[in-house]
Amino acid sequence: MSLLAKEDNDFSALAEPYRRELLAHCYRMAGSLHDAEDLVQETLLRAWKSYDRFEGKSSLRTWLHRIATNTCLSALEGRQRRPLPTGLGAPSSDPTGELEQRGEVPWLEPLPDWVDDESDPSVIAGHRESVRLAFVAALQHLSPRQRAVLLLRDVLQWKSAEVAEAIGTTTVAVNSLLQRARAQLDAVRPSADDRLEEPESSETQDLLGRYIAAFESYDIDRLVELFTAEAIWEMPPFTGWYQGAHNIVTLIHQQCPAELPGDMRMIPLTANGQPAAAMYMRQGEVHVPFQLHVLDVQGGRVSHVVAFLDDSLFPKFGLPSAL
């Protein structure tokens, strides 16, 4: 089918294969799954309206990403960045202290994982690295325009001239924005040695199974042996973050509403290219959505957990409303 066909059905059929990568791109820009879904819808609407002017000088994929980038830039103008608690600048918290909740903060959100069975392993690895929670959190330290330039250049591998044309600036300006963005990102993102283990590896799956079993059996003390010594735990919308296996276990003992084995149930999954688990808490005769845990696994142990207390995320991950 020609890319220049102008029928609506042709456009839908041609654009649909790019929906998921457009979602990932908008998610990296916005740091929000909910916002990214809206931005993709707006992107496709804009593309459909202007499809009769698409001349095929670039690929349809490039054209759609250009529209998506500008849609994101317009939407993000004047908006707050989306942090995690560790990005607020405060020191680690006392696990025995009071929890402070800030629901008005637009917190970073996780992204459901997707990998095509036929994808090349290097493509899968590249996709996962580009949506890793720590990387997306680091992007939030950049201005939207810096984010756009860095993602188009370093993730999508566009040339500076292509980026300049896409966002309406000069190649010199693009190179300047990219240099500043890389410098800022290097100051906050994980180091090159900070590689995560693949979520589907047998070692990671075994660790995730033991992690889930510790919660479901309410053997919280067993978690100490699963965390690294300097592990971090954070749980937006609470502002505190906690470092060290023993501090994390103390926090869970102090604050977790569960009291008995079976009060918590968990479903294993993947998010942001990382092992994850959806936690359900007993409420009467059923278990209801409570937290969504996204784990960093390094050297056979858990080095970081972000436990999102946002039950509106559960349907986005295809999870049941109750167990």
Side-chain angles (χ1 to χ4, degrees):
M1 185 184 296
S2 170
L3 289 182
L4 300 179
K6 303 303 181 189
E7 295 296 328
D8 293 349
N9 288 341
D10 291 340
F11 172 75
S12 297
L14 290 166
E16 189 60 31
Y18 301 103
R19 180 183 289 271
R20 291 192 298 187
E21 61 178 283
L22 289 171
L23 180 68
H25 181 62
C26 292
Y27 169 74
R28 296 182 198 104
M29 284 290 296
S32 162
L33 173 59
H34 293 86
D35 288 354
E37 290 177 330
D38 292 341
L39 289 164
V40 170
Q41 288 299 106
E42 177 65 21
T43 294
L44 295 177
L45 178 61
R46 290 187 184 187
W48 172 73
K49 287 180 176 179
S50 59
Y51 187 47
D52 60 342
R53 299 192 296 277
F54 174 57
E55 299 176 352
K57 292 180 180 179
S58 66
S59 68
L60 183 66
R61 177 178 182 266
T62 297
W63 184 66
L64 289 171
H65 274 87
R66 183 161 58 230
I67 295 173
T69 300
N70 284 290
T71 300
C72 290
L73 288 173
S74 297
L76 293 172
E77 187 174 349
R79 285 197 192 179
Q80 291 178 266
R81 68 183 182 91
R82 286 183 171 271
L84 287 173
T86 46
L88 296 179
S92 59
S93 304
D94 178 359
T96 63
E98 291 290 323
L99 297 179
E100 179 189 355
Q101 182 172 341
R102 290 182 61 188
E104 78 279 5
V105 173
W107 297 103
L108 192 71
E109 295 175 353
L111 179 73
D113 205 22
W114 57 266
V115 174
D116 292 324
D117 292 337
E118 66 273 15
S119 291
D120 182 271
S122 64
V123 172
I124 294 173
H127 167 74
R128 284 176 167 165
E129 196 66 26
S130 72
V131 295
R132 177 181 167 184
L133 259 185
F135 176 67
V136 179
L139 287 174
Q140 292 294 305
H141 291 268
L142 308 178
S143 71
R145 205 164 177 81
Q146 287 176 321
R147 267 177 250 169
V149 167
L150 185 129
L151 291 172
L152 293 176
R153 286 284 283 116
D154 289 357
V155 175
L156 296 183
Q157 300 293 305
W158 287 17
K159 297 176 181 177
S160 292
E162 294 174 311
V163 178
E165 182 182 358
I167 65 173
T169 189
T170 65
T171 301
V172 172
V174 164
N175 290 334
S176 176
L177 284 165
L178 181 63
Q179 185 178 21
R180 293 200 303 271
R182 285 173 174 168
Q184 286 184 249
L185 208 61
D186 286 343
V188 294
R189 69 177 171 182
S191 68
D193 297 329
D194 200 16
R195 296 283 179 181
L196 298 186
E197 295 179 15
E198 291 299 320
E200 70 274 1
S201 73
S202 57
E203 294 82 5
T204 300
Q205 285 298 304
D206 175 69
L207 178 63
L208 182 62
R210 287 184 285 137
Y211 179 88
I212 289 173
F215 279 103
E216 292 189 333
S217 63
Y218 200 63
D219 188 0
I220 304 304
D221 293 327
R222 196 196 314 173
L223 290 172
V224 171
E225 64 193 48
L226 305 183
F227 284 108
T228 63
E230 298 300 314
I232 290 173
W233 177 284
E234 49 190 331
M235 47 184 185
F238 294 103
T239 59
W241 61 277
Y242 307 86
Q243 188 162 28
H246 289 281
N247 284 335
I248 293 170
V249 168
T250 299
L251 172 76
I252 297 171
H253 275 304
Q254 292 275 335
Q255 303 293 349
C256 182
E259 297 177 347
L260 298 169
D263 282 353
M264 294 175 282
R265 292 178 62 186
M266 300 183 82
I267 297 175
L269 51 109
T270 55
N272 295 81
Q274 300 169 223
M279 176 182 283
Y280 291 74
M281 190 67 64
R282 187 192 301 278
Q283 187 177 92
E285 298 299 314
V286 298
H287 289 75
V288 298
F290 182 62
Q291 290 179 335
L292 202 153
H293 295 198
V294 182
L295 284 63
D296 286 10
V297 174
Q298 295 173 299
R301 293 193 175 187
V302 178
S303 61
H304 197 148
V305 175
V306 184
F308 295 92
L309 281 87
D310 182 355
D311 56 16
S312 72
L313 292 167
F314 277 59
K316 302 292 186 183
F317 281 76
L319 293 161
S321 59
L323 299 178

